[in-house]
Amino acid sequence: MTPVLRSVHIHPVKAMRALARTEAEVEPWGLAGDRRWTVVDAANEVVTQRRHPRMALATAEPLPGGGVSLSAPGHPTLVVEVPHPSPTLTVEIFGKHVEAVPAGPAAAAWLSAYLESDVRLVHMDAPEHRRPVDPDYALPGETVSFADGYPLLVATTASLDALNSLIAQGDHADEGPLPMNRFRPNLVIEGTAPWAEDGWKRLAVGEVTFRVARPCGRCVVTTTDQLTAERGKEPLRTLARHRKDDGRVIFGQNLVPEHTGTVRVGDTVKILD
């Protein structure tokens, strides 16, 4: 079976609901519209579902020009335009400092009411130079948006099926099978062998080629039901037993684009190296 691109997903605001797309533009720092916005706390540290699982229930729909329309259960819809690019605010994401532009007070009030915490929304105005990819796994000049660390994340349906088989044999079998949205990938590929992505170094999805940077280390977000915000034990319990790399539990692979272009659902996937 020839591998094909089964689905494409963006997350306009980091940690909010994933949105499926039939196609997406690949920019050097990730898919267009993916994680250009993030939420920060009173100390200007990025907050995600790790701290606020209810972020999974909030939706940010992209608007022309780069703005977003925020909605969440029990809260009115709020339109947020891209803020003027000055002044910037220094925010912290996983111990690194990045300049971002704060949205207005209406967005801060909306998010603070929903999350019952003092937070605000910020935008990455210049992803071409704001946040470099980890130099241990990047080429000079490569950058990333507010994704955890790399421009894109790819996962395969065969590996999810294999993981679900392992979960079914474990002590929390009642939690499975898990859907792919637990892993919040950008690209989902079908038609491979389970765990085939472990050996990939370069691949082409339609007209765009990517370099595989490293496996994706997984966190507590994967235990969060993306439809209810409730947490369980899986898949971390099973991944810890069967899928570890350099001390991390892993699922999926981080990608860096080698050039720009468009990826479309149904595109043929070729493993180049």
Side-chain angles (χ1 to χ4, degrees):
M1 184 175 179
T2 300
V4 298
L5 183 60
R6 177 173 178 173
S7 60
V8 177
H9 308 269
I10 62 170
H11 317 76
V13 174
K14 182 179 179 66
M16 290 190 181
R17 186 183 299 276
L19 304 179
R21 292 290 183 262
T22 57
E23 63 179 52
E25 294 297 315
V26 179
E27 299 174 332
W29 40 84
L31 296 183
D34 187 57
R35 298 177 173 101
R36 287 287 296 276
W37 299 83
T38 194
V39 179
V40 299
D41 64 14
N44 297 329
E45 183 176 351
V46 169
V47 297
T48 70
Q49 290 182 36
R50 295 166 175 85
R51 196 188 312 180
H52 292 291
R54 291 181 69 238
M55 293 184 76
L57 308 183
T59 301
E61 288 284 351
L63 299 173
V68 288
S69 175
L70 303 178
S71 60
H75 289 260
T77 298
L78 177 70
V79 171
V80 183
E81 302 293 347
V82 173
H84 190 275
S86 179
T88 61
L89 179 73
T90 302
V91 304
E92 182 178 340
I93 178 168
F94 306 128
K96 303 294 185 181
H97 293 100
V98 180
E99 294 301 307
V101 184
W110 191 95
L111 285 162
S112 295
Y114 177 63
L115 296 178
E116 299 178 348
S117 182
D118 183 8
V119 297
R120 55 180 155 174
L121 186 66
V122 300
H123 180 255
M124 183 177 287
D125 60 326
E128 66 273 14
H129 62 76
R130 289 296 187 200
R131 185 178 175 220
V133 177
D134 184 341
D136 289 340
Y137 301 93
L139 300 177
E142 291 180 335
T143 61
V144 59
S145 63
F146 283 121
D148 276 8
Y150 300 87
L152 289 93
L153 172 64
V154 65
T156 70
T157 57
S159 294
L160 178 62
D161 291 344
L163 175 61
N164 278 324
S165 294
L166 294 171
I167 291 173
Q169 301 166 29
D171 51 4
H172 292 278
D174 59 308
E175 293 189 24
L178 300 182
M180 185 63 85
N181 64 12
R182 290 292 187 95
F183 302 96
R184 301 176 64 79
N186 296 112
L187 307 179
V188 178
I189 295 172
E190 65 179 358
T192 72
W195 316 120
E197 62 272 25
D198 289 351
W200 298 349
K201 295 181 180 178
R202 292 177 66 247
L203 68 154
V205 180
E207 64 186 39
V208 185
T209 61
F210 301 88
R211 187 181 78 254
V212 179
R214 68 183 307 206
C216 183
R218 309 312 312 212
C219 70
V220 70
V221 171
T222 59
T223 69
T224 307
D225 188 316
Q226 296 295 295
L227 300 181
T228 67
E230 296 177 354
R231 283 200 170 136
K233 299 292 185 182
E234 295 292 2
L236 290 186
R237 182 68 62 90
T238 297
L239 289 174
R241 292 173 175 168
H242 300 279
R243 297 286 300 165
K244 296 191 77 171
D245 175 74
D246 195 26
R248 307 172 307 147
V249 296
I250 59 171
F251 186 89
Q253 296 285 337
N254 291 300
L255 303 180
V256 179
E258 294 186 329
H259 56 85
T260 59
T262 303
V263 292
R264 300 174 176 85
V265 172
D267 276 348
T268 298
V269 177
K270 297 179 181 178
I271 310 308
L272 304 177
D273 293 305

